[in-house]
Amino acid sequence: MDKAELIEGKVDWRGKTAQKDKHGGSRASLLILGAFTFENMATMALAVNLVTYFTEVMHFNIADAANQLTNYMGTSYILTILMAFLADTYIGRFKTVLVATCIEALGLGLLALQAHYRHLKPPLCNIYDPNSK
């Protein structure tokens, strides 16, 4: 019986030494690339909808809506670097993904609550009234 080739210095999720024929490879890479692709598509769809939300519901002008969107996207990309640092030095990849997922779910949940409840929205404005803000 052939002995599987072990990957030196790498362990599987059980803490045993990883085997070259069972761990990693193209299947794992395709899963990661697929998840990354769908996450980026969701981020871009959210970005397009946020501009509409900022202009129609929150009554921002187009320039302010675009500025808020770039602030949001810049913050999300900077937080990725921070989370990568935390993952590599302190808490590990799995716990970092759990923390980041919880933070993202909390943020999207708060956005959904703000969009749902009328008293969390700004008052309707009359675009024909010059004193309206």
Side-chain angles (χ1 to χ4, degrees):
M1 180 176 234
D2 290 332
K3 180 155 174 112
E5 186 178 342
L6 301 177
I7 304 173
E8 197 66 35
K10 302 292 181 186
V11 294
D12 64 2
W13 63 278
R14 292 182 182 154
K16 297 179 182 176
T17 304
Q19 297 177 5
K20 194 167 192 137
D21 60 337
K22 290 187 179 180
H23 300 96
S26 61
R27 284 188 357 178
S29 299
L30 289 176
L31 176 67
I32 292 169
L33 287 174
F36 181 71
T37 301
F38 288 120
E39 189 269 334
N40 275 335
M41 287 186 344
T43 300
M44 289 303 129
L46 180 65
V48 170
N49 288 323
L50 274 177
V51 169
T52 304
Y53 179 74
F54 287 150
T55 56
E56 298 295 322
V57 176
M58 298 300 291
H59 311 299
F60 289 178
N61 61 25
I62 295 291
D64 289 338
N67 190 22
Q68 291 296 324
L69 178 65
T70 56
N71 291 344
Y72 163 75
M73 292 186 76
T75 302
S76 69
Y77 287 128
I78 292 294
L79 283 176
T80 341
I81 296 170
L82 174 68
M83 296 305 272
F85 172 74
L86 289 175
D88 288 344
T89 55
Y90 296 109
I91 60 177
R93 281 182 259 164
F94 183 73
K95 289 180 185 174
T96 303
V97 169
L98 286 179
V99 168
T101 302
C102 291
I103 291 172
E104 185 176 5
L106 178 67
L108 291 175
L110 288 173
L111 182 63
L113 281 175
Q114 195 269 336
H116 181 70
Y117 290 111
R118 183 174 299 277
H119 65 278
L120 295 176
K121 293 180 187 177
L124 293 175
C125 63
N126 182 1
I127 61 172
Y128 300 111
D129 183 10
N131 298 324
S132 162
K133 293 192 177 193

Short mmCIF file of all heavy atoms in Angstrom, two decimals, residues 2-53:
data_model
loop_
_atom_site.label_atom_id
_atom_site.label_comp_id
_atom_site.label_asym_id
_atom_site.label_seq_id
_atom_site.Cartn_x
_atom_site.Cartn_y
_atom_site.Cartn_z
N ASP A 2 0.56 2.22 -0.85
CA ASP A 2 1.35 3.45 -0.94
C ASP A 2 1.10 4.32 0.28
O ASP A 2 -0.02 4.47 0.76
CB ASP A 2 0.95 4.24 -2.19
CG ASP A 2 1.40 3.56 -3.45
OD1 ASP A 2 2.41 2.83 -3.39
OD2 ASP A 2 0.74 3.77 -4.48
N LYS A 3 2.18 4.88 0.76
CA LYS A 3 2.05 5.84 1.86
C LYS A 3 1.86 7.22 1.24
O LYS A 3 2.58 7.62 0.34
CB LYS A 3 3.31 5.80 2.72
CG LYS A 3 3.24 6.78 3.86
CD LYS A 3 4.12 6.33 4.98
CE LYS A 3 4.11 7.41 6.02
NZ LYS A 3 3.49 7.07 7.21
N ALA A 4 0.86 7.94 1.73
CA ALA A 4 0.56 9.26 1.19
C ALA A 4 1.71 10.23 1.51
O ALA A 4 2.31 10.15 2.57
CB ALA A 4 -0.74 9.80 1.79
N GLU A 5 1.97 11.11 0.57
CA GLU A 5 3.03 12.10 0.77
C GLU A 5 2.52 13.18 1.71
O GLU A 5 1.48 13.80 1.48
CB GLU A 5 3.42 12.71 -0.58
CG GLU A 5 4.59 13.63 -0.49
CD GLU A 5 4.97 14.18 -1.86
OE1 GLU A 5 4.57 13.61 -2.88
OE2 GLU A 5 5.67 15.19 -1.88
N LEU A 6 3.24 13.42 2.79
CA LEU A 6 2.84 14.40 3.78
C LEU A 6 3.42 15.77 3.43
O LEU A 6 4.50 15.87 2.85
CB LEU A 6 3.33 13.98 5.17
CG LEU A 6 2.81 12.63 5.67
CD1 LEU A 6 3.41 12.31 7.02
CD2 LEU A 6 1.31 12.61 5.75
N ILE A 7 2.69 16.81 3.79
CA ILE A 7 3.14 18.17 3.56
C ILE A 7 3.79 18.65 4.86
O ILE A 7 3.12 18.77 5.89
CB ILE A 7 1.98 19.09 3.16
CG1 ILE A 7 1.27 18.54 1.92
CG2 ILE A 7 2.49 20.49 2.89
CD1 ILE A 7 0.02 19.28 1.55
N GLU A 8 5.06 18.90 4.80
CA GLU A 8 5.83 19.25 5.99
C GLU A 8 5.40 20.61 6.54
O GLU A 8 5.29 21.58 5.81
CB GLU A 8 7.33 19.31 5.63
CG GLU A 8 8.24 19.26 6.81
CD GLU A 8 8.17 17.94 7.55
OE1 GLU A 8 8.01 16.89 6.92
OE2 GLU A 8 8.28 17.97 8.78
N GLY A 9 5.11 20.66 7.82
CA GLY A 9 4.76 21.90 8.48
C GLY A 9 3.31 22.33 8.34
O GLY A 9 2.93 23.38 8.82
N LYS A 10 2.48 21.54 7.66
CA LYS A 10 1.07 21.89 7.47
C LYS A 10 0.21 20.85 8.16
O LYS A 10 0.52 19.66 8.16
CB LYS A 10 0.70 21.93 5.98
CG LYS A 10 1.52 22.89 5.16
CD LYS A 10 1.24 24.31 5.55
CE LYS A 10 2.06 25.25 4.69
NZ LYS A 10 1.94 26.60 5.08
N VAL A 11 -0.91 21.32 8.75
CA VAL A 11 -1.83 20.41 9.42
C VAL A 11 -3.22 20.61 8.86
O VAL A 11 -3.56 21.66 8.31
CB VAL A 11 -1.83 20.63 10.95
CG1 VAL A 11 -0.50 20.27 11.56
CG2 VAL A 11 -2.20 22.05 11.30
N ASP A 12 -4.07 19.58 9.00
CA ASP A 12 -5.46 19.70 8.58
C ASP A 12 -6.28 20.26 9.73
O ASP A 12 -5.76 20.66 10.77
CB ASP A 12 -5.99 18.36 8.06
CG ASP A 12 -6.04 17.28 9.13
OD1 ASP A 12 -5.69 17.57 10.30
OD2 ASP A 12 -6.42 16.14 8.81
N TRP A 13 -7.60 20.26 9.58
CA TRP A 13 -8.46 20.85 10.60
C TRP A 13 -8.49 20.05 11.88
O TRP A 13 -8.92 20.54 12.92
CB TRP A 13 -9.87 21.05 10.04
CG TRP A 13 -10.57 19.79 9.65
CD1 TRP A 13 -10.44 19.10 8.48
CD2 TRP A 13 -11.51 19.07 10.43
NE1 TRP A 13 -11.23 18.00 8.48
CE2 TRP A 13 -11.92 17.95 9.68
CE3 TRP A 13 -12.06 19.25 11.68
CZ2 TRP A 13 -12.83 17.03 10.13
CZ3 TRP A 13 -12.98 18.33 12.13
CH2 TRP A 13 -13.36 17.23 11.35
N ARG A 14 -8.03 18.82 11.85
CA ARG A 14 -7.97 18.00 13.06
C ARG A 14 -6.62 18.12 13.78
O ARG A 14 -6.43 17.54 14.83
CB ARG A 14 -8.21 16.54 12.71
CG ARG A 14 -9.60 16.26 12.24
CD ARG A 14 -9.77 14.79 11.97
NE ARG A 14 -11.09 14.53 11.47
CZ ARG A 14 -11.42 13.53 10.71
NH1 ARG A 14 -10.49 12.65 10.33
NH2 ARG A 14 -12.64 13.35 10.30
N GLY A 15 -5.67 18.81 13.16
CA GLY A 15 -4.35 18.96 13.76
C GLY A 15 -3.37 17.90 13.31
O GLY A 15 -2.23 17.88 13.75
N LYS A 16 -3.78 17.00 12.42
CA LYS A 16 -2.88 15.97 11.89
C LYS A 16 -2.11 16.54 10.70
O LYS A 16 -2.55 17.49 10.06
CB LYS A 16 -3.68 14.75 11.44
CG LYS A 16 -4.43 14.06 12.57
CD LYS A 16 -5.21 12.89 12.03
CE LYS A 16 -6.02 12.23 13.15
NZ LYS A 16 -6.86 11.14 12.65
N THR A 17 -0.98 15.93 10.40
CA THR A 17 -0.17 16.39 9.27
C THR A 17 -0.97 16.24 7.97
O THR A 17 -1.57 15.21 7.71
CB THR A 17 1.13 15.58 9.19
OG1 THR A 17 1.81 15.67 10.44
CG2 THR A 17 2.03 16.11 8.11
N ALA A 18 -0.97 17.31 7.17
CA ALA A 18 -1.74 17.33 5.93
C ALA A 18 -1.11 16.40 4.89
O ALA A 18 0.11 16.25 4.82
CB ALA A 18 -1.81 18.74 5.38
N GLN A 19 -1.98 15.78 4.09
CA GLN A 19 -1.53 14.89 3.02
C GLN A 19 -1.72 15.59 1.69
O GLN A 19 -2.73 16.24 1.45
CB GLN A 19 -2.32 13.59 3.04
CG GLN A 19 -2.14 12.79 4.31
CD GLN A 19 -3.00 11.54 4.32
OE1 GLN A 19 -3.66 11.22 3.34
NE2 GLN A 19 -2.98 10.85 5.44
N LYS A 20 -0.73 15.43 0.82
CA LYS A 20 -0.72 16.14 -0.45
C LYS A 20 -1.91 15.75 -1.34
O LYS A 20 -2.48 16.59 -2.02
CB LYS A 20 0.59 15.88 -1.18
CG LYS A 20 0.81 16.82 -2.33
CD LYS A 20 2.23 16.76 -2.81
CE LYS A 20 2.45 17.90 -3.74
NZ LYS A 20 3.68 18.56 -3.56
N ASP A 21 -2.32 14.48 -1.32
CA ASP A 21 -3.40 14.05 -2.21
C ASP A 21 -4.79 14.34 -1.65
O ASP A 21 -5.78 14.21 -2.37
CB ASP A 21 -3.27 12.56 -2.52
CG ASP A 21 -3.34 11.69 -1.28
OD1 ASP A 21 -3.05 12.20 -0.19
OD2 ASP A 21 -3.69 10.51 -1.42
N LYS A 22 -4.92 14.75 -0.40
CA LYS A 22 -6.24 14.98 0.19
C LYS A 22 -6.52 16.44 0.56
O LYS A 22 -7.66 16.80 0.76
CB LYS A 22 -6.40 14.14 1.46
CG LYS A 22 -6.52 12.68 1.20
CD LYS A 22 -6.84 11.95 2.48
CE LYS A 22 -6.97 10.46 2.21
NZ LYS A 22 -7.29 9.73 3.42
N HIS A 23 -5.52 17.25 0.69
CA HIS A 23 -5.70 18.62 1.18
C HIS A 23 -5.19 19.63 0.17
O HIS A 23 -4.16 19.43 -0.45
CB HIS A 23 -4.97 18.80 2.52
CG HIS A 23 -5.46 17.88 3.58
ND1 HIS A 23 -4.84 16.70 3.86
CD2 HIS A 23 -6.54 17.94 4.38
CE1 HIS A 23 -5.50 16.07 4.82
NE2 HIS A 23 -6.54 16.80 5.16
N GLY A 24 -5.94 20.74 0.06
CA GLY A 24 -5.55 21.79 -0.88
C GLY A 24 -5.89 21.39 -2.31
O GLY A 24 -6.84 20.68 -2.57
N GLY A 25 -5.12 21.86 -3.23
CA GLY A 25 -5.31 21.52 -4.63
C GLY A 25 -6.28 22.44 -5.34
O GLY A 25 -6.69 23.49 -4.84
N SER A 26 -6.67 22.04 -6.53
CA SER A 26 -7.50 22.90 -7.37
C SER A 26 -8.94 22.99 -6.87
O SER A 26 -9.59 24.01 -7.06
CB SER A 26 -7.47 22.42 -8.81
OG SER A 26 -7.98 21.11 -8.91
N ARG A 27 -9.46 21.94 -6.23
CA ARG A 27 -10.85 22.02 -5.74
C ARG A 27 -10.98 23.09 -4.66
O ARG A 27 -11.92 23.87 -4.66
CB ARG A 27 -11.31 20.67 -5.20
CG ARG A 27 -11.63 19.70 -6.30
CD ARG A 27 -12.26 18.43 -5.86
NE ARG A 27 -12.40 18.25 -4.42
CZ ARG A 27 -12.96 17.21 -3.86
NH1 ARG A 27 -13.41 16.25 -4.61
NH2 ARG A 27 -13.06 17.12 -2.56
N ALA A 28 -10.05 23.11 -3.73
CA ALA A 28 -10.09 24.13 -2.67
C ALA A 28 -9.88 25.52 -3.27
O ALA A 28 -10.54 26.48 -2.86
CB ALA A 28 -9.03 23.83 -1.62
N SER A 29 -8.99 25.63 -4.24
CA SER A 29 -8.74 26.92 -4.88
C SER A 29 -9.98 27.42 -5.62
O SER A 29 -10.31 28.61 -5.55
CB SER A 29 -7.59 26.82 -5.87
OG SER A 29 -6.41 26.46 -5.20
N LEU A 30 -10.68 26.53 -6.30
CA LEU A 30 -11.89 26.93 -7.01
C LEU A 30 -12.98 27.36 -6.04
O LEU A 30 -13.73 28.31 -6.32
CB LEU A 30 -12.38 25.78 -7.90
CG LEU A 30 -11.53 25.50 -9.13
CD1 LEU A 30 -12.05 24.28 -9.87
CD2 LEU A 30 -11.50 26.71 -10.05
N LEU A 31 -13.08 26.71 -4.91
CA LEU A 31 -14.06 27.11 -3.90
C LEU A 31 -13.75 28.51 -3.39
O LEU A 31 -14.64 29.36 -3.27
CB LEU A 31 -14.07 26.11 -2.74
CG LEU A 31 -14.99 26.46 -1.57
CD1 LEU A 31 -16.44 26.40 -2.01
CD2 LEU A 31 -14.73 25.53 -0.41
N ILE A 32 -12.50 28.78 -3.10
CA ILE A 32 -12.11 30.10 -2.60
C ILE A 32 -12.33 31.16 -3.67
O ILE A 32 -12.88 32.24 -3.39
CB ILE A 32 -10.65 30.08 -2.13
CG1 ILE A 32 -10.52 29.21 -0.88
CG2 ILE A 32 -10.12 31.48 -1.88
CD1 ILE A 32 -9.11 28.90 -0.48
N LEU A 33 -11.94 30.88 -4.90
CA LEU A 33 -12.14 31.85 -5.98
C LEU A 33 -13.62 32.09 -6.27
O LEU A 33 -14.03 33.22 -6.55
CB LEU A 33 -11.42 31.39 -7.25
CG LEU A 33 -9.90 31.50 -7.21
CD1 LEU A 33 -9.30 30.86 -8.46
CD2 LEU A 33 -9.47 32.93 -7.10
N GLY A 34 -14.43 31.04 -6.19
CA GLY A 34 -15.87 31.20 -6.38
C GLY A 34 -16.49 32.05 -5.29
O GLY A 34 -17.30 32.95 -5.57
N ALA A 35 -16.12 31.79 -4.05
CA ALA A 35 -16.64 32.61 -2.94
C ALA A 35 -16.20 34.06 -3.08
O ALA A 35 -17.00 34.98 -2.85
CB ALA A 35 -16.18 32.03 -1.61
N PHE A 36 -14.96 34.28 -3.48
CA PHE A 36 -14.45 35.63 -3.67
C PHE A 36 -15.21 36.34 -4.80
O PHE A 36 -15.56 37.51 -4.69
CB PHE A 36 -12.96 35.57 -3.98
CG PHE A 36 -12.32 36.90 -4.18
CD1 PHE A 36 -12.14 37.77 -3.12
CD2 PHE A 36 -11.89 37.29 -5.43
CE1 PHE A 36 -11.54 39.01 -3.30
CE2 PHE A 36 -11.30 38.52 -5.62
CZ PHE A 36 -11.12 39.38 -4.55
N THR A 37 -15.48 35.62 -5.88
CA THR A 37 -16.22 36.20 -7.00
C THR A 37 -17.61 36.63 -6.60
O THR A 37 -18.04 37.76 -6.88
CB THR A 37 -16.28 35.19 -8.16
OG1 THR A 37 -14.96 34.85 -8.56
CG2 THR A 37 -17.06 35.74 -9.33
N PHE A 38 -18.34 35.76 -5.90
CA PHE A 38 -19.70 36.09 -5.51
C PHE A 38 -19.73 37.20 -4.45
O PHE A 38 -20.63 38.03 -4.45
CB PHE A 38 -20.44 34.85 -5.02
CG PHE A 38 -20.79 33.91 -6.13
CD1 PHE A 38 -20.32 32.62 -6.14
CD2 PHE A 38 -21.58 34.33 -7.19
CE1 PHE A 38 -20.64 31.76 -7.17
CE2 PHE A 38 -21.91 33.49 -8.23
CZ PHE A 38 -21.43 32.19 -8.23
N GLU A 39 -18.73 37.24 -3.58
CA GLU A 39 -18.66 38.31 -2.59
C GLU A 39 -18.42 39.65 -3.28
O GLU A 39 -19.02 40.66 -2.91
CB GLU A 39 -17.54 38.00 -1.58
CG GLU A 39 -17.51 38.92 -0.38
CD GLU A 39 -16.63 40.13 -0.57
OE1 GLU A 39 -15.69 40.07 -1.37
OE2 GLU A 39 -16.92 41.15 0.06
N ASN A 40 -17.55 39.68 -4.29
CA ASN A 40 -17.32 40.93 -5.02
C ASN A 40 -18.54 41.36 -5.82
O ASN A 40 -18.83 42.55 -5.91
CB ASN A 40 -16.11 40.78 -5.95
CG ASN A 40 -14.81 41.05 -5.23
OD1 ASN A 40 -14.80 41.77 -4.25
ND2 ASN A 40 -13.74 40.48 -5.71
N MET A 41 -19.26 40.40 -6.40
CA MET A 41 -20.49 40.76 -7.11
C MET A 41 -21.52 41.35 -6.15
O MET A 41 -22.21 42.32 -6.47
CB MET A 41 -21.07 39.53 -7.83
CG MET A 41 -20.28 39.13 -9.03
SD MET A 41 -20.92 37.79 -10.08
CE MET A 41 -22.12 36.96 -9.17
N ALA A 42 -21.62 40.78 -4.95
CA ALA A 42 -22.55 41.32 -3.96
C ALA A 42 -22.14 42.71 -3.51
O ALA A 42 -22.99 43.60 -3.32
CB ALA A 42 -22.62 40.38 -2.76
N THR A 43 -20.84 42.94 -3.35
CA THR A 43 -20.36 44.27 -2.96
C THR A 43 -20.68 45.31 -4.03
O THR A 43 -21.13 46.42 -3.72
CB THR A 43 -18.85 44.23 -2.69
OG1 THR A 43 -18.60 43.29 -1.64
CG2 THR A 43 -18.31 45.58 -2.29
N MET A 44 -20.48 44.96 -5.28
CA MET A 44 -20.77 45.90 -6.37
C MET A 44 -22.28 46.16 -6.48
O MET A 44 -22.71 47.30 -6.72
CB MET A 44 -20.23 45.39 -7.70
CG MET A 44 -18.72 45.42 -7.80
SD MET A 44 -18.08 47.07 -7.52
CE MET A 44 -16.85 46.74 -6.30
N ALA A 45 -23.10 45.12 -6.30
CA ALA A 45 -24.55 45.31 -6.32
C ALA A 45 -24.99 46.20 -5.16
O ALA A 45 -25.85 47.08 -5.33
CB ALA A 45 -25.25 43.97 -6.25
N LEU A 46 -24.39 46.01 -4.00
CA LEU A 46 -24.70 46.86 -2.85
C LEU A 46 -24.28 48.29 -3.12
O LEU A 46 -24.99 49.23 -2.77
CB LEU A 46 -24.01 46.32 -1.60
CG LEU A 46 -24.23 47.10 -0.32
CD1 LEU A 46 -25.69 47.05 0.09
CD2 LEU A 46 -23.36 46.57 0.78
N ALA A 47 -23.14 48.47 -3.77
CA ALA A 47 -22.66 49.82 -4.07
C ALA A 47 -23.63 50.56 -4.98
O ALA A 47 -23.96 51.73 -4.74
CB ALA A 47 -21.27 49.75 -4.70
N VAL A 48 -24.12 49.90 -6.01
CA VAL A 48 -25.07 50.54 -6.93
C VAL A 48 -26.36 50.88 -6.19
O VAL A 48 -26.90 51.98 -6.35
CB VAL A 48 -25.34 49.60 -8.13
CG1 VAL A 48 -26.49 50.12 -8.96
CG2 VAL A 48 -24.09 49.45 -8.97
N ASN A 49 -26.83 49.97 -5.36
CA ASN A 49 -28.06 50.23 -4.63
C ASN A 49 -27.88 51.29 -3.56
O ASN A 49 -28.83 52.01 -3.24
CB ASN A 49 -28.59 48.93 -4.00
CG ASN A 49 -29.15 48.00 -5.05
OD1 ASN A 49 -29.76 48.44 -6.00
ND2 ASN A 49 -28.93 46.72 -4.87
N LEU A 50 -26.69 51.41 -2.98
CA LEU A 50 -26.46 52.43 -1.97
C LEU A 50 -26.53 53.83 -2.56
O LEU A 50 -27.03 54.75 -1.92
CB LEU A 50 -25.11 52.22 -1.29
CG LEU A 50 -25.11 51.27 -0.11
CD1 LEU A 50 -23.70 51.10 0.42
CD2 LEU A 50 -26.03 51.72 0.98
N VAL A 51 -26.05 54.01 -3.79
CA VAL A 51 -26.15 55.34 -4.41
C VAL A 51 -27.62 55.71 -4.59
O VAL A 51 -28.04 56.82 -4.26
CB VAL A 51 -25.41 55.37 -5.77
CG1 VAL A 51 -25.73 56.63 -6.54
CG2 VAL A 51 -23.92 55.26 -5.55
N THR A 52 -28.42 54.78 -5.05
CA THR A 52 -29.86 55.03 -5.19
C THR A 52 -30.49 55.30 -3.84
O THR A 52 -31.31 56.22 -3.69
CB THR A 52 -30.54 53.83 -5.87
OG1 THR A 52 -29.91 53.59 -7.12
CG2 THR A 52 -32.01 54.09 -6.09
N TYR A 53 -30.12 54.52 -2.84
CA TYR A 53 -30.67 54.71 -1.49
C TYR A 53 -30.29 56.07 -0.93
O TYR A 53 -31.12 56.77 -0.34
CB TYR A 53 -30.17 53.58 -0.59
CG TYR A 53 -30.65 53.67 0.83
CD1 TYR A 53 -31.96 53.35 1.16
CD2 TYR A 53 -29.80 54.11 1.85
CE1 TYR A 53 -32.41 53.44 2.45
CE2 TYR A 53 -30.25 54.20 3.14
CZ TYR A 53 -31.55 53.86 3.44
OH TYR A 53 -32.00 53.95 4.72
#
